[in-house]
Amino acid sequence: MSDAGVSPPARRLRAGIVGGGRGAFIGSVHRIAAELDGQAQLVAGAMSSHPEIARASAAAWFLERAYTSYDEMAAVEAAAENGIDFVIIATPNHLHYPVAREFLAAGIHVICDKPLALTVAEGEELVRLVEAGTSLFALTHNYTGYPAVRQAREMVRGGQLGEIRKVMVEYTQDWLLEPLETRGNRQAAWRTDPARAGLSGCVGDIGTHAQNLLEFVTDRHIEALCADLSTFVAGRRLDDDANILLRLRGGAKGTLICSQIACGEENRLSIRVYGSRAGLEWHQQEPNTLFNKPAGGAWTLLRTGQGYLSQSARAASRLPGGHPEGYLEAFANIYRAFIEDVRRVGHGESPLRDYPGVRDGLRGLRFIAQSVASSQAGSVWLPL
Amino acid sequence: MSDAGVSPPARRLRAGIVGGGRGAFIGSVHRIAAELDGQAQLVAGAMSSHPEIARASAAAWFLERAYTSYDEMAAVEAAAENGIDFVIIATPNHLHYPVAREFLAAGIHVICDKPLALTVAEGEELVRLVEAGTSLFALTHNYTGYPAVRQAREMVRGGQLGEIRKVMVEYTQDWLLEPLETRGNRQAAWRTDPARAGLSGCVGDIGTHAQNLLEFVTDRHIEALCADLSTFVAGRRLDDDANILLRLRGGAKGTLICSQIACGEENRLSIRVYGSRAGLEWHQQEPNTLFNKPAGGAWTLLRTGQGYLSQSARAASRLPGGHPEGYLEAFANIYRAFIEDVRRVGHGESPLRDYPGVRDGLRGLRFIAQSVASSQAGSVWLPL
Amino acid sequence: MSDAGVSPPARRLRAGIVGGGRGAFIGSVHRIAAELDGQAQLVAGAMSSHPEIARASAAAWFLERAYTSYDEMAAVEAAAENGIDFVIIATPNHLHYPVAREFLAAGIHVICDKPLALTVAEGEELVRLVEAGTSLFALTHNYTGYPAVRQAREMVRGGQLGEIRKVMVEYTQDWLLEPLETRGNRQAAWRTDPARAGLSGCVGDIGTHAQNLLEFVTDRHIEALCADLSTFVAGRRLDDDANILLRLRGGAKGTLICSQIACGEENRLSIRVYGSRAGLEWHQQEPNTLFNKPAGGAWTLLRTGQGYLSQSARAASRLPGGHPEGYLEAFANIYRAFIEDVRRVGHGESPLRDYPGVRDGLRGLRFIAQSVASSQAGSVWLPL
Amino acid sequence: MSDAGVSPPARRLRAGIVGGGRGAFIGSVHRIAAELDGQAQLVAGAMSSHPEIARASAAAWFLERAYTSYDEMAAVEAAAENGIDFVIIATPNHLHYPVAREFLAAGIHVICDKPLALTVAEGEELVRLVEAGTSLFALTHNYTGYPAVRQAREMVRGGQLGEIRKVMVEYTQDWLLEPLETRGNRQAAWRTDPARAGLSGCVGDIGTHAQNLLEFVTDRHIEALCADLSTFVAGRRLDDDANILLRLRGGAKGTLICSQIACGEENRLSIRVYGSRAGLEWHQQEPNTLFNKPAGGAWTLLRTGQGYLSQSARAASRLPGGHPEGYLEAFANIYRAFIEDVRRVGHGESPLRDYPGVRDGLRGLRFIAQSVASSQAGSVWLPL
């Protein structure tokens, strides 16, 4: 990072990306989300370890600098006068840790896909590195960027639900209904490979999103879990389905259900929270409505973009109500807060950290590890 | 029962009712459901042990004969030339067993509210009595009467879903959000009283409906369960919420969630079944649509009353598509099949038993008992 | 009618039916609706002019007395000690007028399907007869029986919507998508036959339901209309589709759209009312929810069976919230109010007339006539 | 425009913007949509005639060149070596014509907000200019950019609906429920000012979107209309509501309903098309689902991002199914096609014109003019 003397926001920030080369859906998502508000622009990338793909991917995005190794990129960018302000890590899971470590060591801010790393030990090391250093670290648990999710959290925090008693969170898909990993699908291959995905398939990939969303909205931690993980597709090496009983701090109970073989489901992420005074419900696939269920009264449909929402929910919308916003805009909200912090730190101000961070990532890794352990032990309750 | 020599259907059948006196919501439901098709009429009742309520309730329904004790009713009706053809039991749970036993002993056909009895032992005794006798026995697991539920079962049976892998069933309400049992609500009082409701509150009242619906639709039994029951309202003597992990015969896994403190929910009963080739989804609160989710294709909305449905689903509708049918019509479908069997038996034909019976009731009692036991043991897997 | 000296409600009322013989869907609807609350029972019928169908239909319903001509039925029932208290007219349209006239002349209360008659002149004559006589007259515009529709009217009347500005009412179906009238479908044959259906097909059959619902909910009359009627199916003799511009008393404007060739629609009847302070929306196919849209606030979902509804809406539900009620229950609400009036008149009390009556029927006939006239004149505004 | 010798896509295209200064919601929409795919970047702007707002707006977006007059901008950019490749017009309606004329004269490609101009005469002049010149011209009827709308058009074109018979299109809002134009709301002020908005308020602003969507999806023109325009808010100078009967080429009929005083509605744009073989339905507020209603079969829910969609629909999605895309992504699809054409023309290839153009804009102006004329003449049919 350079330009420390330039008073922001005199220019768009410069971003680099590791991974996300051609064909990787998530690469484009990061680029769009990072650039959506016109506050940053991708200028450098190590988008593939294949030199040709790396070059072609960088050219397709008009990047100024293309690398074939991330450590070279970290070194060169850190030294350059017009080097990147932050790096985006959009690789398969097993590379999150080494890449993050490298850029943190180079003093470059990091925004990284989830899960944080392959193992709890790696996660703990990243927590140590981030907390010992000065670089910012964000984890793209993107679903927390939705305006309605912000609204839900505010309502829980404001006590509108009363005592929280029951929670239901779900993330179901069907993209692994068939053994795609044996049929040439690259994402399926690494997602079901313990060496690249980690201890778990379904819980690691989407269960952690559900766990993070639940903790974000309810503003409290899962205290214990009792899990039943399954692998329904013959020959698959990791779980593709899980049913998990939950206990939360403060006495609430609940369930977390995730699946990648739920035939007909796309990205059915939903959350319900029931308190003593009201309930809430939200569905990612129709994200602009939040159902509010006051005790004894009629349900209300809280709609994003409306003036009656909380300040944080309103700030997370770019359009007036009725013009639907979706996944990319929510993802961009994570970037918006991160970029604001990059500017603040550049100014010498302290960061606001209004996005998931390295400790949220560590919780996700523990959630994975304990889910797997509980299930292997025959569905016993384990602390988290 | 009499009139054996009369060739049906030369007259409406005569029905009696025990329980369901003034103020009991479920009494009217049974009367409407029994009479809806014009094949039966209530003529006698022991609707309350309070003589005045019994008399007034019977008068309000223009019953010909009002009793204040069910044993007197059983004796008199069995002996009368124009006695009842069948009896409806609509009392609190603890009376199901003794009332059923009395009418079975009198040789009168019985249709009874669920759960079957207070205990597994009582249930086993009823199974013995029914199977040793000649009287018919139906249990009003009314949700299986919905046309869309019939359609769902046919699709599972016909193999359209392929191998069944994952199930999700839920029944959430909020009517016990507050401690109504201490505030003069009579139904809340007996529903939360172990002496009248049995081992469980929420699981016994609505969890069994969910369990029955699941087994009906999937056409297979729950093999094991791992339960976490809760009582959220202080002072309540029975559970008011439960989260249960399930394993089904044939390898499917799933969850059963029920609650009576889910703020804002009315009678949110829903079921999802995921197979290797398709998924299904149904919601009781909008019961005329069944979502069909074929692998790789678009969801289809199967609508009741339409010609493309299975024979059993079409037969369960009284109206063309788009004229919504609801709870009462579904309830009446249980009665329709039961009444048809009463006529068949009157003719000397063998019954078709296309309705929940005494063995389904026993499964429900075991489900309650094992759910409570699993939860008390710290959520261990128990067989069912 | 007899039994004037018997103090009601000592018995169920006795009803007769004209039309509705085997195969006529609407016959069963009337029977179920009339008997649903246990306050009346069908005992006599002239269900077909074919003697065999008449007999078989009556036997299938266990009627005590079967007639083959309605005038004989009127004469005999009026003279009998245990004669019917009221008659149900469920014939094709062209018979409404002569049958109603006959029973009114016999001093028997009448409840009749819509439209009231074939022509405005017939309708005017029926108004004269009813108002000159002592018999009650109800018209089964059944959709006004839905609890949510009652709630909507109360909200308009109570001023919650402010000044009414805009209305949108629709009733679309597809059952006449093909020329069924040439393929042996009996209902299609008479519905598209001017001699039996009247001036209009689609507007007469379902447009009048929409018009009646609109006037009921908004509590104001359509003042003028500008119509465009179409016949899309070649060879059809009456319209099967209409788009109509509306002006209401008090300055509101709107549209009424009806169709019987709207491919894929079942009975999509819906209404929206927009005022200066709130909007309302209701859909017949999911009838237990009423959308309330206060200016500047979130939509609320008003649900039938809930305590926060108006008295008249609550009284129109037989079940607690979340147990769906549908078409038959709404239809039965028309009967409930009519039967109450029959009892009141039997007592010498004055009737409450809380159901559509003969003057509503005349408005419907004028609506049909003016819609047809406007369309034939090239969509000119005509008064109503 | 310059860089003609540079072989695209060697760089992001350079865009300029006129209008859209601070506080104008639509400015940001254009910026995001233009830049979303990383193929263009805003570098110049005449964002306001107030020099300070112009400067501040340009600085907020890091534009390299800020102008205070659009004619200066046209002249300078046309002459500059690194001048803009295209200009975005995001001003109030009355400036569309003069600004467009200026940039067309300078040989710069134009993408312009709708409506095309203030009057039909202006529109005709623009058609002449565009067709006589070499510059591209796109009009941002953005709703045609939704993937599901592309799918709908393909299905109509492919004959899946059979003969088109009935259409229903609606665009209702409530943002002008109150006289905001008298309360300091700048957008309301110009939208209700004939000098800046044109002949019509509601029809001009959103009715034209509905008309364009209808013609786009059905692939046929409105042939005649019969309109009833209203102004419900006292003192307002233009219509705020309209109900319009339609006749389409080929014999279909329909309705177009638009309102800006429909209390509780946000941006409720929807379209239904009914053919002899199937029907279609789409709602902008939940844009990722298209309802397909085949005759005699069950509805199917076509979902964006799924492989079973048409090529043009799939190409319009950036995400897999279940990750909702919304208004901005659809808007960006208009830009994507326009930018592709700018590149093609730069190469010497002929443009594909897969976006609304100047002739679509002229149709919109005629639609406005004839709607106003029909209504003023008392709702007479006028050709379009």
Side-chain angles (χ1 to χ4, degrees), chain D residues 240-254:
Chain D
D240 51 24
D241 183 273
N243 298 315
I244 306 178
L245 304 177
L246 303 175
R247 289 177 181 172
L248 273 65
R249 280 205 193 142
K253 295 193 172 181

Side-chain angles (χ1 to χ4, degrees), chain A residues 279-345:
Chain A
L280 286 178
E281 179 168 350
W282 178 77
H283 295 263
Q284 193 262 157
Q285 296 191 168
E286 211 298 71
N288 295 295
T289 300
L290 177 66
F291 297 90
N292 175 32
K293 316 173 186 178
W299 288 24
T300 59
L301 303 189
L302 303 177
R303 293 275 300 164
T304 57
Q306 292 292 354
Y308 51 68
L309 297 185
S310 68
Q311 165 57 22
S312 73
R314 289 201 310 278
S317 279
R318 290 168 183 81
L319 297 172
H323 280 148
E325 296 183 279
Y327 178 90
L328 291 171
E329 292 83 350
F331 214 113
N333 284 335
I334 306 295
Y335 270 95
R336 177 189 280 182
F338 175 70
I339 286 170
E340 185 183 349
D341 264 6
V342 172
R343 290 213 190 272
R344 290 176 66 89
V345 165

Side-chain angles (χ1 to χ4, degrees), chain B residues 25-348:
Chain B
F25 136 72
I26 204 67
S28 289
V29 168
H30 279 279
R31 183 191 58 70
I32 293 171
E35 297 186 346
L36 195 81
D37 286 321
Q39 295 294 320
Q41 185 159 356
L42 266 72
V43 299
M47 298 180 70
S48 174
S49 51
H50 300 279
E52 274 189 44
I53 296 180
R55 239 188 321 272
S57 298
W61 287 1
F62 310 114
L63 302 189
E64 298 168 15
R65 301 183 292 278
Y67 300 89
T68 51
S69 90
Y70 64 82
D71 40 5
E72 181 199 356
M73 176 172 159
V76 173
E77 293 293 327
E81 195 169 342
N82 66 345
I84 58 175
D85 296 293
F86 64 89
V87 71
I88 299 161
I89 304 179
T91 64
N93 298 353
H94 66 297
L95 293 173
H96 292 177
Y97 170 71
V99 176
R101 198 178 46 182
E102 195 75 22
F103 281 84
L104 290 172
I108 291 174
H109 302 305
V110 173
I111 184 164
C112 180
D113 244 330
K114 45 57 58 190
L116 177 61
L118 268 199
T119 64
V120 170
E122 285 181 359
E124 288 171 337
E125 174 66 6
L126 283 178
V127 168
R128 207 187 56 73
L129 289 174
V130 169
E131 297 189 345
T134 59
S135 295
L136 296 164
F137 191 96
L139 199 72
T140 52
H141 272 306
N142 52 292
Y143 300 105
T144 61
Y146 278 107
V149 169
R150 302 289 169 107
Q151 175 69 16
R153 180 176 59 170
E154 293 303 313
M155 292 174 70
V156 172
R157 282 185 174 172
Q160 291 182 48
L161 274 71
E163 171 202 349
I164 303 303
R165 292 172 169 178
K166 184 177 182 69
V167 295
M168 295 168 69
V169 66
E170 168 189 349
Y171 197 154
T172 47
Q173 305 177 322
D174 74 354
W175 77 283
L176 289 174
L177 185 66
E178 300 291 332
L180 299 187
E181 61 268 39
T182 66
R183 297 177 188 172
N185 181 306
R186 288 177 54 208
Q187 189 176 178
W190 78 255
R191 289 277 186 202
T192 61
D193 174 5
R196 287 179 287 171
L199 283 173
S200 161
C202 179
V203 173
D205 188 11
I206 58 176
T208 48
H209 273 308
Q211 166 260 328
N212 179 262
L213 179 68
L214 175 62
E215 296 195 348
F216 181 87
V217 167
T218 62
D219 207 26
R220 61 202 71 194
H221 280 179
I222 297 170
E223 199 167 65
L225 58 78
C226 171
D228 189 21
L229 276 58
S230 307
T231 303
F232 283 107
V233 172
R236 183 160 288 161
R237 292 188 290 161
L238 291 172
D239 58 284
D240 50 24
D241 183 272
N243 298 316
I244 306 179
L245 304 177
L246 302 176
R247 289 178 180 172
L248 272 66
R249 282 206 191 140
K253 294 192 174 184
T255 50
L256 185 155
I257 298 172
C258 57
S259 185
Q260 297 182 312
I261 55 87
C263 190
E265 304 303 344
E266 297 174 333
N267 283 287
R268 187 167 177 165
L269 171 64
S270 72
I271 184 166
R272 291 195 247 164
V273 183
Y274 295 106
S276 57
R277 294 171 49 195
L280 286 179
E281 178 168 349
W282 179 77
H283 295 263
Q284 193 261 156
Q285 296 191 167
E286 212 297 71
N288 295 294
T289 301
L290 176 66
F291 297 90
N292 176 31
K293 317 175 186 177
W299 288 23
T300 59
L301 303 187
L302 303 178
R303 294 273 302 165
T304 57
Q306 293 292 355
Y308 50 69
L309 297 184
S310 69
Q311 164 58 21
S312 73
R314 290 202 309 277
S317 278
R318 290 169 183 80
L319 297 172
H323 280 147
E325 296 184 277
Y327 179 90
L328 291 171
E329 291 84 350
F331 215 113
N333 285 336
I334 306 295
Y335 271 95
R336 177 189 279 182
F338 175 69
I339 287 170
E340 186 183 349
D341 264 6
V342 172
R343 291 211 191 272
R344 291 175 65 90
V345 165
H347 274 127

